[in-house]
């Protein structure tokens, strides 16, 4: 796995937060849905699972299951399954009597998608007023008979007018297809997302852009006799272009598209050299092609969530059979989520915690929703939320010698002269300080990179590009 050395990662994290000393990071366990067990309950375990969050992570939806063993029973039983919605004021049950699981929430936080109680747990959309206004029933789409909607997360667009769904296939679909992906929109209704290649027996949709127009996922050919996946390819789909394979440069690898950035430009993928080996995490974009983000022969990395532009990516990695959450950024590379949080000022104060999944990353990348357990890991599960300070740097004026002339090469000479402890250029001018990116670090080469990037009409960054 590509872990940046701790000293370098910590230095970068300190630089990222240096300009925001008054802003404090916050971490909170979101608890479990309020539940009063029966008086004769001997043991109770609660599994509160978050499935989706709004773009700003202020609204979260999911479902709750209680595993209760009553007096006189030898084994526990599932007692309930309810859909919930959580805001800063706490948990509320949504769609009481209408939904038994909330699988997705619109980016603006107003519309909930979930499995309705009646009608075979098929997808439905809940209005802000608490009524169902969309019911998606299984049918035959383009010659494929849909069975039941699969559980898991259902990506939903900003408006809630687009949803990505996965279904089992009734009987044996074309070419032995076992499951497939569909796209629902208010404008086009329920349509099939075609497979990436005709012989695929598994076809999944895993990511949806914020505008709801771009879908990402994978198609795979599973040999049901041997249980071996013989081919897997990542794809992107739009109604206008159809399904397009994102070819990986190494032939024969298995490529699983696992998610999509909010702008629809960055595909998240897991790549396996061959079936049965751990998968590595990769990103793909039209502009940059394929980019590895982490993985090794003994570590399996699966990126699943990203912010709007794909500069903050999260997911899970497995090492020695244990599952952990991770965060990747271009400046920090891949870090375990607990390490990432500690470097950004979150102190768990000796508490035993297990943070094992990333559910959502806000559009700006600052707020992350995940799943975990505390105290006695595995006994109960609950969501957590962390918000980090605004890390955007503020660069100084490029008129470094304050002569009123912008984009003047003399300012470069003046900056480099002061940086090397020489005089201002010209000597009669009054130059600014050399902490151009205002991260409080002086005689830092990153200030040179930032200055030259802004001088060339680029963005303000901590260390160039």
């Amino acid at each position: 796995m590509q872990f940046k050395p701790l000293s370098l990662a910590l230095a970068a994290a300190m630089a990222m937060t240096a300009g925001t000393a008054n802003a404090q990071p916050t971490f909170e366990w979101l608890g479990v849905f309020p539940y009063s067990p029966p008086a004769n309950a001997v043991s109770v375990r609660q599994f509160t699972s978050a499935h989706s969050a709004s773009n700003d992570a202020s609204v979260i939806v999911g479902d709750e299951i209680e595993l209760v063993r009553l007096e006189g029973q030898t084994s526990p039983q599932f007692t309930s399954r309810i859909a919930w919605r959580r805001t800063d004021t706490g948990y509320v049950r949504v769609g009481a009597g209408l939904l038994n699981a909330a699988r997705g929430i619109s980016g603006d936080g107003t519309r909930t998608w979930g499995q309705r109680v009646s009608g075979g747990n098929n997808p439905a959309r809940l209005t802000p007023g608490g009524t169902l206004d969309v019911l998606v029933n299984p049918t035959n789409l383009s010659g494929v008979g849909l069975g039941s909607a699969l559980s898991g997360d259902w990506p939903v667009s900003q408006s809630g007018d687009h949803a990505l769904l996965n279904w089992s296939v009734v009987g044996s679909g074309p070419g032995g297809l076992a499951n497939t992906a569909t796209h629902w929109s208010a404008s086009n209704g329920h349509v099939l997302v075609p497979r990436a290649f005709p012989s695929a027996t598994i076809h999944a949709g895993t990511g949806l852009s914020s505008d709801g127009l771009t879908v990402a996922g994978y198609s795979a050919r599973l040999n049901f006799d041997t249980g071996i996946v013989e081919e897997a390819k990542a794809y992107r789909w739009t109604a206008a272009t159809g399904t397009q394979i994102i070819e990986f440069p190494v032939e024969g690898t298995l490529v699983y598209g696992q998610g999509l950035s909010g702008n629809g430009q960055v595909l998240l993928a897991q790549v396996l050299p061959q079936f049965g080996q751990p998968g590595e995490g990769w990103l793909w974009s039209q502009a940059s092609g394929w980019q590895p983000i982490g993985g090794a022969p003994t570590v399996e990395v699966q990126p699943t969530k990203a912010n709007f532009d794909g500069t903050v990516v999260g997911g899970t990695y497995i090492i020695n059979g244990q599952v952990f959450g991770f965060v990747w950024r271009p400046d920090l590379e891949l870090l375990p989520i607990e390490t990432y949080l500690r470097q950004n000022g979150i102190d768990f104060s000796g508490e035993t915690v297990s943070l094992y999944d990333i559910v959502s990353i806000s559009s700006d990348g600052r707020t992350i929703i995940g799943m975990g357990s505390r105290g006695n890991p595995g006994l109960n599960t609950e969501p957590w939320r962390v918000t980090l300070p605004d890390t955007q740097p503020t660069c100084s004026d490029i008129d470094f010698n304050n002569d009123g002339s912008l984009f003047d090469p003399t300012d470069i000479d003046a900056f480099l002269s002061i940086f090397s402890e020489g005089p201002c250029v010209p000597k009669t001018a009054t130059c600014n300080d050399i902490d151009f990116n205002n991260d409080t670090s002086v005689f830092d080469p990153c200030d040179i990179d930032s200055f030259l990037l802004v001088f060339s009409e680029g963005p303000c960054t901590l260390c160039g590009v």
Side-chain angles (χ1 to χ4, degrees), residues 218 220 227-234 248-258 269-282 290 294-297 299-303 318:
Y218 66 88
I228 294 176
V229 175
E230 299 172 338
E231 185 177 10
K233 292 182 179 294
F248 194 73
V250 180
E251 188 175 348
T253 52
L254 303 176
V255 184
Y256 297 88
Q258 299 288 1
Q270 184 183 51
V271 179
L272 282 65
Q274 63 183 38
F275 182 77
Q277 293 186 351
E280 298 180 343
W282 286 76
W290 286 99
V299 180
E300 181 151 352
V301 174
Q302 184 177 25
I318 303 175

Side-chain angles (χ1 to χ4, degrees), residues 20-231:
T20 56
N22 294 326
Q24 296 297 318
T26 60
F27 178 91
E28 57 180 326
W29 289 99
L30 301 181
V32 295
F33 189 86
Y35 170 70
S36 298
N40 61 338
V42 176
S43 64
V44 178
R45 295 177 65 183
Q46 290 187 264
F47 301 93
T48 299
S49 299
H51 291 295
S52 181
S54 58
N55 283 349
D56 63 1
S58 64
V59 180
I60 310 159
V61 297
D63 56 40
E64 171 82 14
I65 297 175
E66 287 85 30
L67 190 62
V68 179
R69 185 167 69 88
L70 301 179
E71 192 173 323
Q73 292 181 337
T74 58
S75 60
Q77 298 178 346
F78 291 106
T79 62
S80 67
R81 180 178 182 181
I82 56 96
W84 53 257
R85 173 188 179 102
R86 192 189 194 281
T87 65
D88 291 336
T89 59
Y91 284 103
V92 294
R93 183 172 181 179
V94 297
L98 298 175
L99 298 180
N100 65 12
R103 297 294 178 184
I105 183 74
S106 58
D108 61 14
T110 62
R111 294 180 179 271
T112 302
W113 279 80
Q115 294 176 314
R116 67 179 185 265
V117 172
S118 60
N121 286 331
N122 290 317
R125 185 176 71 175
L126 195 69
T127 69
T131 60
L132 298 181
D133 66 343
V134 174
L135 303 175
V136 182
N137 294 308
T139 183
N140 188 295
L141 294 178
S142 302
V144 177
L146 303 183
S148 59
L150 302 182
S151 60
D153 305 342
W154 296 352
V156 178
S157 67
Q158 170 72 17
S159 64
D161 285 341
H162 302 259
L164 178 59
L165 306 168
N166 289 281
W167 302 77
S168 64
V169 172
V170 176
S172 179
L177 185 65
N179 60 273
T180 194
T182 66
H183 179 264
W184 183 92
S185 67
S187 57
N188 295 325
H190 196 202
V191 300
L192 190 73
V193 177
R195 291 175 287 180
F197 53 95
S199 61
T201 54
I202 296 173
H203 179 56
T206 57
L208 183 69
S209 60
S210 294
D211 60 13
L213 300 180
T214 304
V215 169
Y218 66 88
S219 293
R221 184 174 71 253
L222 171 64
N223 186 319
F224 292 102
D225 293 329
T226 64
I228 294 176
V229 175
E230 299 172 338
E231 185 177 10

Side-chain angles (χ1 to χ4, degrees), residues 92-456:
V92 294
R93 183 172 181 179
V94 297
L98 298 175
L99 298 180
N100 65 12
R103 297 294 178 184
I105 183 74
S106 58
D108 61 14
T110 62
R111 294 180 179 271
T112 302
W113 279 80
Q115 294 176 314
R116 67 179 185 265
V117 172
S118 60
N121 286 331
N122 290 317
R125 185 176 71 175
L126 195 69
T127 69
T131 60
L132 298 181
D133 66 343
V134 174
L135 303 175
V136 182
N137 294 308
T139 183
N140 188 295
L141 294 178
S142 302
V144 177
L146 303 183
S148 59
L150 302 182
S151 60
D153 305 342
W154 296 352
V156 178
S157 67
Q158 170 72 17
S159 64
D161 285 341
H162 302 259
L164 178 59
L165 306 168
N166 289 281
W167 302 77
S168 64
V169 172
V170 176
S172 179
L177 185 65
N179 60 273
T180 194
T182 66
H183 179 264
W184 183 92
S185 67
S187 57
N188 295 325
H190 196 202
V191 300
L192 190 73
V193 177
R195 291 175 287 180
F197 53 95
S199 61
T201 54
I202 296 173
H203 179 56
T206 57
L208 183 69
S209 60
S210 294
D211 60 13
L213 300 180
T214 304
V215 169
Y218 66 88
S219 293
R221 184 174 71 253
L222 171 64
N223 186 319
F224 292 102
D225 293 329
T226 64
I228 294 176
V229 175
E230 299 172 338
E231 185 177 10
K233 292 182 179 294
Y235 72 84
R236 290 171 79 242
W237 173 91
T238 69
T241 63
T243 303
Q244 297 179 318
I245 296 175
I246 308 300
E247 293 286 5
F248 194 73
V250 180
E251 188 175 348
T253 52
L254 303 176
V255 184
Y256 297 88
Q258 299 288 1
L260 192 66
S261 61
N263 62 9
Q265 300 301 307
V266 181
L267 173 78
L268 319 181
Q270 184 183 51
V271 179
L272 282 65
Q274 63 183 38
F275 182 77
Q277 293 186 351
E280 298 180 343
W282 286 76
L283 306 181
W284 176 90
S285 68
Q286 187 72 52
S288 304
W290 286 99
Q291 174 187 5
I293 65 171
T298 59
V299 180
E300 181 151 352
V301 174
Q302 184 177 25
T304 56
K305 307 296 180 183
N307 67 334
F308 184 77
D309 62 4
T311 55
V312 181
V313 174
T316 60
Y317 73 94
I318 303 175
I319 184 169
N320 296 326
Q322 290 186 286
V323 181
F324 304 91
F326 76 81
V327 167
W328 173 92
R329 292 189 336 212
D331 56 333
L332 292 180
E333 298 185 0
L334 190 148
L335 289 174
I337 183 64
E338 292 178 35
T339 301
Y340 179 71
L341 297 185
R342 286 190 172 94
Q343 289 182 7
N344 280 276
I346 303 298
D347 183 8
F348 292 105
S349 301
E351 183 180 25
T352 301
V353 301
S354 173
L355 309 181
Y356 60 79
D357 194 15
I358 305 297
V359 171
S360 175
I361 301 175
S362 63
S363 293
D364 61 9
R366 293 173 52 211
T367 301
I368 300 173
I369 305 293
M371 286 298 302
S373 58
R374 52 177 164 162
N376 186 355
L379 183 61
N380 301 309
T381 67
E382 61 183 292
W384 51 264
R385 176 170 58 194
V386 63
T387 299
L388 303 178
D390 188 353
T391 58
Q392 294 301 313
T394 302
C395 291
S396 300
D397 195 332
I398 59 172
D399 182 17
F400 188 76
N401 61 10
N402 296 292
D403 64 356
S405 178
L406 297 178
F407 301 104
D408 180 358
T410 303
D411 287 305
I412 299 177
D413 296 336
F415 184 89
L416 296 177
S417 178
I418 294 295
F419 192 91
S420 60
E421 300 186 82
C424 190
V425 179
K427 291 182 179 180
T428 55
T430 302
C431 284
N432 296 333
D433 65 71
I434 57 173
D435 183 17
F436 181 76
N437 61 14
N438 294 294
D439 68 352
T440 72
S441 177
V442 294
F443 298 107
D444 179 1
C446 281
D447 287 304
I448 299 177
D449 294 335
S450 295
F451 177 79
L452 294 177
L453 181 60
V454 175
F455 190 90
S456 61

